[in-house]
Amino acid sequence: MTTANVPGRAVKGCAHPSGCHTGTLPIYASATVGARLWLLIEHAGPWASHLEDCRLPEDVHTLIKRAASLGIRPQLIRRPDRRPPSGQGIHVMVADSTAPRPWIAEGVVASADDLDLDALMAGVLPESCILVSEPVFLVCTHAKRNACCARIGLPLARSLAEVLPDRVWETSHVGGDRYAANLVCLPHGLYYGSMSQAAAIAAADAYRSGEVILDRFRGRAGIPEPLQAAEHFVRAHTGELSVGGVAAESSRSDGDVTEVIVLGGDARFRVVVEPMTLPTPCGTACADTITTYRLVALDRLAPVLYATPVLT
């Protein structure tokens, strides 16, 4: 286990390069539940272990605090080649992963007061931003949070940026250090983990084509983990890989067991899942165990038949 000290914080790391981060353990249903709305702020660094400890301009700290208070997920981002931000002002991106048609926009603001986060909360494009049509890819390289994120994430971010210039960003902690290297695809908030460079390129290409790859797919952020598991099992059962082709419609829980109704392609399914815990092969600071979900039942529901009205 590797640890290092920073002011008031501890840095975790994994001493086993071939242990937790190979994709051999199940990682589905582990996307960050609270990541529904996003605020990305370009800052070349350095980054402390937690955003509130970073040496940042006061306006950036204000944006981070305001976003966190509203339930918007703030992330610091920087270019993989570590180019400093160009021009004046604060380069920001905002995204809504829960909209019927998820979107991402960007802009440059002179101060924190120039970015209307209340509009983002309402699902409205802030006036200071413009929509962008190309997806954005975030690779966690937050070394001060976990050494493995930098050890594995940095070369991945750089290789992916060579294929997709200007669409790939290093980012601060996205959740799930044990799944490094982590890749997030915006605006839909799709999480991948334990990524190799080849796997990241394949996942990015699939996303740009409107599809997911189930290998190393952590799930869709912003929804509870049992629902992520249910969506995963429906995709695996049906082969439906389009980004919007599978969605949890409703759920109910009884203790640890969760029943989810999932739309998958042109059918609906009743999926029952329950949590289970597995030991990791390395047992380090990254993770002694992981919690995932077991499929209890998956049944295709009969289509709802509507009576034809009688005309009189």
Side-chain angles (χ1 to χ4, degrees), residues 161-185:
E162 292 178 358
V163 178
L164 297 169
D166 298 325
R167 308 316 305 166
V168 179
W169 298 83
E170 294 182 33
T171 192
S172 53
H173 178 66
V174 297
D177 299 331
R178 65 193 64 183
Y179 304 115
N182 284 299
L183 172 69
V184 181
C185 307

Side-chain angles (χ1 to χ4, degrees), residues 205-252:
D205 283 344
Y207 183 57
R208 295 176 73 216
S209 299
E211 295 187 341
V212 302
I213 292 178
L214 285 187
D215 180 40
R216 311 189 192 205
F217 182 50
R218 289 181 57 188
R220 181 164 57 100
I223 65 173
E225 290 162 347
L227 277 62
Q228 295 180 38
E231 290 187 359
H232 176 91
F233 290 128
V234 168
R235 287 190 184 278
H237 177 74
T238 63
E240 176 60 65
L241 297 178
S242 63
V243 170
V246 173
E249 294 184 331
S250 63
S251 66
R252 65 183 182 89

Side-chain angles (χ1 to χ4, degrees), residues 1 13-16 20 280 282-288:
M1 179 175 68
C14 174
H16 301 270
C20 298
T280 64
C282 50
T284 68
C286 283
D288 293 320

Side-chain angles (χ1 to χ4, degrees), residues 34-310:
R36 300 168 61 86
L37 301 169
W38 301 76
L39 169 62
L40 315 180
I41 306 171
E42 185 177 1
H43 186 269
W47 301 339
S49 62
H50 290 67
L51 299 191
E52 62 267 27
D53 297 331
C54 293
R55 293 184 178 180
L56 301 169
E58 188 58 36
D59 275 323
V60 174
H61 270 303
T62 298
L63 282 173
I64 290 172
K65 292 175 183 176
R66 187 180 299 165
S69 70
L70 292 171
I72 299 168
R73 186 172 183 91
Q75 298 282 148
L76 294 179
I77 59 172
R78 62 190 173 204
R79 297 184 184 277
D81 60 10
R82 301 298 174 90
R83 273 180 290 160
S86 58
Q88 301 297 315
I90 308 167
H91 176 216
V92 299
M93 285 185 259
V94 292
D96 185 345
S97 293
T98 61
R101 296 185 64 181
W103 54 266
I104 187 166
E106 68 178 331
V108 176
V109 297
S111 71
D113 292 335
D114 294 329
L115 181 61
D116 186 357
L117 293 180
D118 290 326
L120 177 60
M121 287 292 297
V124 177
L125 179 70
E127 289 186 0
S128 55
C129 298
I130 58 172
L131 288 172
V132 295
S133 58
E134 288 291 320
V136 169
F137 301 96
L138 306 179
V139 179
C140 181
T141 61
H142 201 161
K144 291 290 181 68
R145 189 63 177 257
N146 187 293
C148 292
C149 292
R151 177 176 60 82
I152 310 172
L154 275 170
L156 188 151
R158 290 167 181 166
S159 65
L160 189 58
E162 292 178 358
V163 178
L164 297 169
D166 298 325
R167 308 316 305 166
V168 179
W169 298 83
E170 294 182 33
T171 192
S172 53
H173 178 66
V174 297
D177 299 331
R178 65 193 64 183
Y179 304 115
N182 284 299
L183 172 69
V184 181
C185 307
L186 292 176
H188 285 82
L190 305 184
Y191 270 58
Y192 288 87
S194 301
M195 297 298 276
S196 66
Q197 295 179 35
I201 292 171
D205 283 344
Y207 183 57
R208 295 176 73 216
S209 299
E211 295 187 341
V212 302
I213 292 178
L214 285 187
D215 180 40
R216 311 189 192 205
F217 182 50
R218 289 181 57 188
R220 181 164 57 100
I223 65 173
E225 290 162 347
L227 277 62
Q228 295 180 38
E231 290 187 359
H232 176 91
F233 290 128
V234 168
R235 287 190 184 278
H237 177 74
T238 63
E240 176 60 65
L241 297 178
S242 63
V243 170
V246 173
E249 294 184 331
S250 63
S251 66
R252 65 183 182 89
S253 296
D254 183 5
D256 287 340
V257 177
T258 302
E259 179 183 272
V260 189
I261 304 302
V262 180
L263 175 66
D266 58 356
R268 295 168 71 245
F269 298 85
R270 171 185 170 269
V271 186
V272 181
V273 299
E274 64 180 6
M276 64 178 183
T277 300
L278 299 174
T280 64
C282 50
T284 68
C286 283
D288 293 320
T289 62
I290 64 167
T291 299
T292 186
Y293 287 83
R294 182 177 74 89
L295 177 63
V296 177
L298 191 156
D299 304 303
R300 180 169 178 152
L301 299 177
V304 178
L305 299 178
Y306 297 95
T308 303
V310 177

